[in-house]
C-alpha cells in the first residue's frame, strides 16, 4: 500500500512533466511528513515517477527509507521546511519561462487573473547560480524566499513553496503560464497591468482552497488521458484535501 503522499508526489511529477517542466532527469517534488520529508528520487524524469520512486529523507537530506539516490539539491527542500512551518510541499524545476525570467531584470506584472496569485511579489535569489548542495546554500535560498510562495533562482530555475502538493503544483503551473503571458504581452506592446487594488479584489474570489480538489482531479485526468500515467495506481487520486 503506497503512502498517500507518495502517490500525490508522483502525480505532481507527472503533471509537471506534462507541462514541459522536465529537464532531463532534474527537477524534484517533495512533501513534508511530520519531521521527515518525502521526495522524488534521483535518476528518473518527472514524467516517469511512481509512488515507489519517492524516498523518505531526514531534516538534513539523508535517506531514511526508499530505493534509489537522493537528489543533490535535497537541501533546497529541507531548508525551506525548517524555515517555513506553514509549507507542506516544495517544487524545484528549471522551466523555460521561469528560468528565462530569472535571467532578466524584469519585474512580474499583474497582467491577468493568474498573476494575482503572485500579487505580493516574487522573491529572487542571486547569491550564486551554482547547484544548491550544501546546507548553508539551502538556508540562503530559504532566507531569500522569506514569506513568499516563489523564489526565482537566477541563472538556475525556480522554487515553489506551498501548503500542500496540489497547491504547489497549481502555483508552479500558474507561474509558468503567467510568465508566458507576460512574454507574449511584452512582445505585443507596452504593458497595462492591473492595479494592486484590483489584484486585492480579484484574489479572494479566484484563489480558494475549495477549488483545488477540482483542479487537481482535472490535472490527474489529463495525465491519464494523454497516456502519461503508465506505472501509476489505477484508482483515481484522493484529491487535494
Ligand atoms: Zn536545480
Amino acid at each position: 500500500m503506497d503512502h498517500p503522499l507518495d502517490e500525490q508526489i508522483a502525480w505532481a511529477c507527472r503533471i509537471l512533466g506534462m507541462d514541459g517542466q522536465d529537464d532531463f532527469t532534474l527537477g524534484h517534488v517533495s512533501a513534508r511528513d511530520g519531521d521527515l520529508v518525502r521526495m522524488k528520487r534521483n535518476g528518473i524524469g518527472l514524467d516517469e515517477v511512481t509512488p515507489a520512486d519517492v524516498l523518505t529523507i531526514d531534516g538534513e537530506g539523508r535517506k531514511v527509507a526508499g530505493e534509489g539516490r537522493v537528489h543533490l539539491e535535497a537541501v533546497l527542500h529541507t531548508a525551506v521546511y525548517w524555515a517555513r512551518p506553514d509549507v507542506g510541499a516544495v517544487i524545484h524545476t528549471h522551466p523555460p519561462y521561469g528560468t528565462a525570467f530569472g535571467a532578466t531584470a524584469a519585474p512580474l506584472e499583474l497582467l491577468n487573473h493568474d498573476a494575482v496569485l503572485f500579487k505580493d511579489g516574487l522573491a529572487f535569489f542571486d547569491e550564486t547560480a551554482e547547484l544548491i548542495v550544501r546546507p548553508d546554500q539551502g538556508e540562503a535560498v530559504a532566507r531569500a524566499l522569506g514569506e513568499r510562495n516563489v523564489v526565482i533562482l537566477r541563472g538556475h530555475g525556480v522554487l515553489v513553496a506551498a501548503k500542500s502538493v496540489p497547491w504547489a503544483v497549481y502555483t508552479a503551473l500558474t507561474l509558468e503560464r503567467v510568465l508566458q503571458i507576460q512574454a507574449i504581452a511584452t512582445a505585443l506592446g507596452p504593458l497595462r497591468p492591473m492595479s494592486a487594488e484590483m489584484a486585492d479584489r480579484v484574489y479572494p474570489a479566484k484563489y480558494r482552497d475549495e477549488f483545488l480538489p477540482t483542479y487537481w482531479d482535472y490535472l490527474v485526468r489529463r495525465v491519464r488521458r494523454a497516456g502519461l500515467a503508465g506505472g501509476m495506481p489505477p484508482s483515481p487520486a484522493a484529491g487535494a484535501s
Side-chain angles (χ1 to χ4, degrees):
M1 179 68 188
D2 298 320
H3 191 288
L5 276 176
D6 293 351
E7 187 175 337
Q8 244 186 8
I9 290 168
W11 280 119
C13 291
R14 301 288 178 123
I15 293 164
L16 291 163
M18 189 176 61
D19 194 54
Q21 301 211 14
D22 240 324
D23 179 9
F24 300 95
T25 60
L26 308 178
H28 13 93
V29 179
S30 72
R32 188 198 296 273
D33 181 17
D35 294 336
L36 300 171
V37 173
R38 307 182 87 93
M39 182 173 174
K40 168 201 175 288
R41 73 172 173 89
N42 195 340
I44 55 172
L46 290 169
D47 59 349
E48 51 191 0
V49 176
T50 69
D53 297 308
V54 179
L55 307 178
T56 306
I57 60 176
D58 67 15
E60 275 76 46
R62 290 181 299 247
K63 187 168 86 172
V64 173
E67 292 293 323
R69 285 176 297 123
V70 180
H71 274 283
L72 288 174
E73 293 190 304
V75 291
L76 265 178
H77 299 248
T78 53
V80 169
Y81 292 121
W82 275 109
R84 288 276 301 274
D86 61 310
V87 169
V90 172
I91 293 172
H92 168 55
T93 53
H94 316 128
Y97 285 93
T99 307
F101 177 72
T104 75
L108 181 121
E109 303 282 4
L110 299 175
L111 299 180
N112 73 336
H113 284 184
D114 296 322
V116 169
L117 182 58
F118 311 105
K119 68 184 177 63
D120 297 327
L122 303 176
F124 294 88
F125 176 74
D126 55 11
E127 287 181 30
T128 180
E130 295 169 281
L131 289 175
I132 305 300
V133 297
R134 296 194 316 269
D136 64 295
Q137 292 174 315
E139 287 159 21
V141 171
R143 268 198 307 278
L145 173 68
E147 296 304 311
R148 295 198 157 101
N149 53 5
V150 171
V151 57
I152 304 286
L153 310 174
R154 292 200 186 279
H156 180 175
V158 308
L159 181 141
V160 171
K163 64 178 122 184
S164 67
V165 172
W167 264 110
V169 168
Y170 182 47
T171 303
L173 264 52
T174 301
L175 176 68
E176 192 65 358
R177 183 177 154 79
V178 162
L179 296 174
Q180 184 175 18
I181 288 169
Q182 184 169 325
I184 295 167
T186 301
L188 287 171
L191 299 180
R192 296 192 60 184
M194 73 178 81
S195 66
E197 294 72 27
M198 181 56 73
D200 283 338
R201 275 158 55 189
V202 169
Y203 190 96
K206 168 79 180 163
Y207 295 104
R208 297 189 187 178
D209 286 330
E210 64 260 37
F211 296 162
L212 262 288
T214 302
Y215 299 160
W216 176 261
D217 291 348
Y218 164 68
L219 290 168
V220 169
R221 289 198 306 275
R222 258 185 96 190
V223 171
R224 288 192 188 281
R225 252 197 327 274
L228 299 174
M232 289 298 292
S235 58
S241 54

